[in-house]
Amino acid sequence: SAVISQKPSRDICQRGTSLTIQCQVDSQVTMMFWYRQQPGQSLTLIATANQGSEATYESGFVIDKFPISRPNLTFSTLTVSNMSPEDSSIYLCSVQTSGYNEQFFGPGTRLTVL
Amino acid sequence: GENVEQHPSTLSVQEGDSAVIKCTYSDSASNYFPWYKQELGKGPQLIIDIRSNVGEKKDQRIAVTLNKTAKHFSLHITETQPEDSAVYFCAASTNFGNEKLTFGTGTRLTIIP
């Protein structure tokens, strides 16, 4: 497995602003992903963060709203742009440490938009 | 794309009894099926997984079974304890270079002391 940290752990933001969430892993990983978990709901994949290239977004998510960076094999950021109350969710990063599918999740960032 | 259904949405069992959570998937190409436990205020924790080349896997009080023909898999927890109370998610993915997980809707398990 891997030790994954996220910053911030929680935040309360005003609508129209943007928040950047950081995900740091204690070892190099092959894949990094960003998920959204709306209150009381399941996890939905936002995008795959690709090292050195543009992220791969899932249907319903766009780069202008959720820009992602992955400058190296241990770090990624997700920005939630021009926030509205509907963006209030838990945002989770996950990593895959090998070619064998296992994904491990960070503790999450709990975002409330007022 | 893949669709994963999970039942029941809530489950209450007496401490010491067994709990079973079931999931079905739609994509016959899926070959990896993990289960996650999410406690309040925490990220999901991988507790067990199974690949399509086996029918059952066990780890202490937790077991997972897979029926590829019927496209369903189940989580079994025996001798339940209060610390087993959490939300459990099943998921499915393929191993064809795009290992993204499709999650079930979750089961809130409550162990009654």
Side-chain angles (χ1 to χ4, degrees):
Chain A
S1 62
V3 177
I4 306 163
S5 60
Q6 286 186 233
K7 290 182 180 179
S9 59
R10 61 178 65 242
D11 208 340
I12 300 173
C13 301
Q14 297 297 318
R15 69 170 67 211
T17 62
S18 298
L19 177 72
T20 295
I21 302 167
Q22 299 179 0
C23 178
Q24 179 74 56
V25 193
D26 68 341
S27 59
Q28 293 185 350
V29 296
T30 55
M31 307 280 285
M32 296 183 78
F33 304 89
W34 287 98
Y35 288 83
R36 181 175 73 183
Q37 186 176 28
Q38 295 178 303
Q41 302 297 312
S42 186
L43 289 81
T44 301
L45 180 64
I46 297 172
T48 303
N50 300 310
Q51 194 265 328
S53 64
E54 193 171 285
T56 304
Y57 289 85
E58 297 300 305
S59 176
F61 298 96
V62 295
I63 188 171
D64 290 346
K65 176 67 175 178
F66 297 102
I68 289 171
S69 77
R70 189 180 173 193
N72 55 51
L73 295 177
T74 64
F75 184 78
S76 178
T77 67
L78 168 74
T79 299
V80 186
S81 303
N82 188 24
M83 290 184 286
S84 67
E86 292 71 35
D87 294 320
S88 297
S89 292
I90 300 172
Y91 291 87
L92 295 146
C93 73
S94 74
V95 304
Q96 186 173 320
T97 58
S98 69
Y100 296 100
N101 295 97
E102 290 95 340
Q103 282 189 34
F104 303 96
F105 282 83
T109 295
R110 283 145 188 82
L111 171 62
T112 301
V113 184
L114 302 178
Chain B
E2 176 66 281
N3 181 51
V4 178
E5 295 188 356
Q6 183 172 346
H7 300 281
S9 57
T10 61
L11 179 62
S12 296
V13 301
Q14 292 290 139
E15 181 178 355
D17 288 350
S18 296
V20 180
I21 302 170
K22 299 181 179 181
C23 288
T24 60
Y25 61 98
S26 61
D27 189 347
S28 57
S30 291
N31 58 5
Y32 174 67
F33 308 93
W35 285 89
Y36 288 86
K37 174 184 181 182
Q38 188 174 28
E39 296 175 290
L40 191 63
K42 297 184 178 180
Q45 175 193 1
L46 178 65
I47 57 172
I48 196 167
D49 56 14
I50 192 167
R51 301 181 191 281
S52 59
N53 57 345
V54 297
E56 183 174 359
K57 183 177 178 181
K58 189 173 181 180
D59 182 3
Q60 299 183 337
R61 298 186 296 109
I62 295 174
V64 57
T65 58
L66 171 65
N67 183 326
K68 283 220 73 177
T69 302
K71 290 192 281 190
H72 68 69
F73 56 111
S74 300
L75 177 71
H76 305 253
I77 306 175
T78 59
E79 301 172 12
T80 53
Q81 302 168 2
E83 53 265 36
D84 294 328
S85 293
V87 179
Y88 291 81
F89 292 97
C90 63
S93 81
T94 64
N95 191 27
F96 300 129
N98 184 3
E99 294 83 358
K100 62 181 182 180
L101 295 173
T102 301
F103 282 83
T105 50
T107 297
R108 181 173 300 278
L109 174 63
T110 302
I111 307 302
I112 305 167

